[in-house]
Amino acid sequence: MRCAPLLGALAACGPTDPAAPREEQGIGQTARALESTLQASAETAVSTTTPPWSVDAQPTVAAGNGIYLVVWEMEGHDTPDILAVRVRASDGALLDASPLHIATGSQVSYLPSVAFDGANFLVTWTDLTSSPAIVGARVRASDGALLDPTPLRISPPDYLPQYSPTVTFDGTNYLVFWHGFAWLGEGIADHRLQGIRIRPSDGTRIESTSFHVAVNEPAFHAASQGGTSLVAWADGGVKAARVDAAGQVLDTPALNLSPASATQVRVAARAGEFLVIFNEGTSLKARRVRASDGALLDSSDILVGSGAEFPTDTGWNDASFSATFDGQDYRVLWQASRGGGRQLRTTRVSPSGTVEAGAEDGLAAFHAGSAGDWVGIAAQSPAHFLVTYAQYDPSVESNRTRFRLVGPNDCSNDVSPPLVTCPATLQVECAYGDQLAVDMDVGDNCGLQYVSNPPQRRDRSGTWTSSVIAVDIGGNMASCDTVWKVVDTRPPHLSVNGSQSLTLPYGTPFQEPGATGGDSCDGPYQDTLYWPNRIRVSGTVNPQVPGTYTLTYRLTDLAGNSSTATRTVTVLAP
């Protein structure tokens, strides 16, 4: 037996064969408890009036004073709109009866980004109405008023195509970064990662032309703190450059953060440093950068999460993971493959760059269209943050923007389900008369009252599905399914009765001693009525002719695996 202690007085136990190879024992590790220190509110829709034929996409969020502004793109029969809604941080209540229409009508609007300046939010996006341009609008936090009914023109009006903005606030001004064409002189234009400063008071550009950060890098992100901003991007590795409050790029050439072959990056900031998150394979990694001089604060990449999911088709400034600083720790939001499906996960990273033990929390099953779907995270205070994502809604057969408010789990009103994960598929070798329970991860910060993990038979080949079910003390239930495939690939056991070498006096009739066999899946072949003629013998012995004869015994199990054994019989001369 093996048991995984859970919070409370329960234990999850399942039989195991100590001699079995690791690949047979569930997912190759003993079960363990994953304790969630967070409690996520019930999933909430940003709107109940979304047209049934529309599709929500690209959700993002920024934190204001006691509120969050959730921003997303709504695609429908008309041109895409940029919508927003204010969420009260204390209880997750929607402060707007219907979504705020930031960009609507004839505008073709994509790829929103949002930041807060202490009084208002600035929402930026790509306007494809004519030549693609970067535009924006300010939203007053106190009442949701749209301060710029006519969108602000952020990228210079030079009619060169510009795409995919990200906006941040450095304490004095907004900085907006994007990628697109830029004039290089003498009528020559080329792709550049560029930026510009925007006055919070009226939304006007401080620079008449954009400043250039790097050669065109479509996968980038930025964050600001204390008058310094860091822009990071993927370019045959992960690179970055600091920008000061005057709009001067401080790092030329760029800082080399990691050789990882990343396709996405995200940046979070705290006093004196930045945390840059990036993907490599199925791993999520990070590096810290000191704001004062650009020095790397870690000797190597920090592993933030494993089994992560990222889009296979890149090109836009995708946001399938996100990060923020909550005043105490960095919080990283990402998508992972768990329990046969996708989940939203958060990882807690300390200011010293340590991924805290037990700091990975599962927040929600994630059923949106693909691993490229955007997610957003913003924090109000330590362990208090909001996550937003697009969730598939089967009632309308499309994605809808959803959010969850997350805070410390004090168990006074436990609405978060237990965390239960198990392998999506499991292949094990058939074993006669044996049973095996799936190796699972299960836990709950407030305690569990019931865990069901029934052992499965291993004494027959086949494929079937079993479920692990957990119920916590608050009555919340979670489950995961495992598709079992029991196979019989091992040959049966076969041995001859008596000696493998016999001598027979001349003329003495030969009495066949026979053979005995069994199989790890079928069991012993002893019942001749149930196992008729399972062992076949080829070869004969003629006691009238001296010489050495070979008898071959062959046993084939029900799966078609065979074993052979031989016996030699020597007939002596008269």
Side-chain angles (χ1 to χ4, degrees):
M1 299 284 286
R2 64 173 178 269
C3 299
L6 303 175
L7 298 177
L10 296 179
C13 306
T16 182
D17 176 4
R22 283 178 61 86
E23 64 269 16
E24 289 190 16
Q25 298 187 21
I27 55 176
Q29 60 186 13
T30 56
R32 64 185 185 277
L34 294 184
E35 303 178 7
S36 176
T37 60
L38 299 175
Q39 176 171 294
S41 69
E43 185 174 83
T44 304
V46 293
S47 173
T48 59
T49 60
T50 306
W53 38 262
S54 66
V55 178
D56 290 352
Q58 301 164 0
T60 186
V61 61
N65 295 327
I67 67 169
Y68 296 99
L69 187 70
V70 178
V71 182
W72 71 97
E73 170 200 317
M74 184 185 72
E75 301 179 20
H77 291 166
D78 300 321
T79 56
D81 294 342
I82 302 297
L83 305 180
V85 69
R86 293 174 305 139
V87 178
R88 192 162 57 207
S90 60
D91 58 3
L94 294 174
L95 297 178
D96 303 296
S98 59
L100 309 173
H101 288 254
I102 310 299
T104 59
S106 60
Q107 301 173 47
V108 184
S109 308
Y110 290 98
L111 306 168
S113 180
V114 59
F116 182 64
D117 65 15
N120 305 314
F121 295 92
L122 176 62
V123 181
T124 64
W125 65 92
T126 303
D127 180 8
L128 301 182
T129 304
S130 56
S131 178
I134 307 304
V135 298
R138 292 168 301 144
V139 178
R140 192 161 56 211
S142 60
D143 60 1
L146 183 62
L147 300 179
D148 305 296
T150 299
L152 304 166
R153 178 67 183 242
I154 292 176
S155 59
D158 50 18
Y159 305 104
L160 293 176
Q162 315 295 335
Y163 303 95
S164 189
T166 186
V167 58
T168 183
F169 183 70
D170 70 359
T172 303
N173 297 303
Y174 290 110
L175 284 91
V176 183
F177 299 93
W178 69 89
H179 73 94
F181 281 93
W183 292 113
L184 304 182
E186 299 181 357
I188 300 175
D190 200 359
H191 289 88
R192 288 293 184 270
L193 172 57
Q194 34 192 315
I196 205 165
R197 293 180 298 157
I198 302 294
R199 295 182 181 92
S201 59
D202 58 7
T204 58
R205 296 185 300 269
I206 296 177
E207 289 84 15
S208 59
T209 60
S210 61
F211 53 84
H212 299 174
V213 179
V215 177
N216 180 54
E217 307 299 346
F220 68 94
H221 193 245
S224 301
Q225 207 286 326
T228 302
S229 303
L230 185 80
V231 190
W233 63 89
D235 178 23
V238 181
K239 299 181 180 180
R242 292 167 300 138
V243 179
D244 66 14
Q248 299 297 311
V249 179
L250 301 178
D251 301 300
T252 53
L255 306 170
N256 289 307
L257 305 189
S258 171
S261 55
T263 59
Q264 293 185 56
V265 294
R266 283 296 178 269
V267 186
R270 75 176 191 96
E273 72 173 41
F274 301 93
L275 182 73
V276 180
I277 312 292
F278 50 91
N279 64 313
E280 184 176 37
T282 60
S283 297
L284 197 62
K285 298 183 177 181
R287 292 297 291 268
R288 292 179 304 140
V289 180
R290 191 161 56 206
S292 60
D293 58 4
L296 298 183
L297 299 177
D298 307 292
S299 59
S300 60
D301 295 346
I302 305 168
L303 180 63
V304 176
S306 58
E309 292 197 352
F310 310 104
T312 56
D313 182 18
T314 59
W316 294 105
N317 195 14
D318 296 305
S320 62
F321 56 87
S322 187
T324 191
F325 185 70
D326 69 5
Q328 177 174 293
D329 298 293
Y330 294 105
R331 300 282 178 170
V332 183
L333 178 69
W334 50 290
Q335 305 171 43
S337 177
R338 295 288 190 274
R342 286 166 51 227
Q343 286 188 357
L344 285 182
R345 314 288 287 183
T346 64
T347 302
R348 178 163 48 96
V349 183
S350 73
S352 62
T354 301
V355 178
E356 300 292 348
E360 180 186 317
D361 293 281
L363 297 182
F366 199 53
H367 306 296
S370 69
D373 293 310
W374 285 28
V375 298
I377 185 171
Q380 291 281 342
S381 59
H384 290 84
F385 53 92
L386 182 142
V387 300
T388 186
Y389 49 97
Q391 183 77 285
Y392 181 75
D393 186 343
S395 67
V396 293
E397 298 183 346
S398 63
N399 286 352
R400 290 289 182 259
T401 299
R402 301 287 189 263
F403 69 84
R404 289 178 185 260
L405 196 65
V406 182
N409 192 354
D410 61 6
C411 302
S412 60
N413 180 29
D414 185 12
V415 297
S416 295
L419 178 62
V420 180
T421 62
C422 53
T425 59
L426 188 65
Q427 180 169 303
V428 296
E429 191 71 28
C430 190
Y432 179 74
D434 195 11
Q435 294 181 319
L436 183 66
V438 65
D439 198 354
M440 62 181 176
D441 292 336
V442 57
D444 187 88
N445 193 57
C446 297
L448 291 154
Q449 60 172 307
Y450 174 75
V451 176
S452 172
N453 183 21
Q456 303 299 316
R457 292 180 57 185
R458 301 176 65 193
D459 58 356
R460 68 186 189 280
S461 299
T463 300
W464 57 91
T465 301
S466 67
S467 296
V468 172
I469 300 172
V471 179
D472 64 19
I473 61 174
N476 307 296
M477 186 184 75
S479 64
C480 60
D481 293 335
T482 296
V483 176
W484 290 75
K485 183 178 182 181
V486 179
V487 298
D488 182 7
T489 64
R490 297 172 178 171
H493 309 291
L494 177 64
S495 60
V496 298
N497 296 332
S499 176
Q500 287 184 293
S501 299
L502 300 176
T503 57
L504 186 68
Y506 177 81
T508 302
F510 176 66
Q511 299 294 325
E512 168 61 57
T516 302
D519 183 66
S520 60
C521 184
D522 303 337
Y525 298 117
Q526 296 175 340
D527 187 341
T528 57
L529 293 178
Y530 188 69
W531 305 112
N533 303 319
R534 298 305 301 179
I535 301 176
R536 304 296 179 90
V537 184
S538 61
T540 59
V541 176
N542 188 346
Q544 305 299 324
V545 179
T548 299
Y549 299 85
T550 299
L551 301 178
T552 300
Y553 302 81
R554 185 178 186 87
L555 172 60
T556 302
D557 65 18
L558 295 180
N561 306 301
S562 297
S563 295
T564 60
T566 60
R567 189 198 311 272
T568 59
V569 179
T570 301
V571 178
L572 303 176

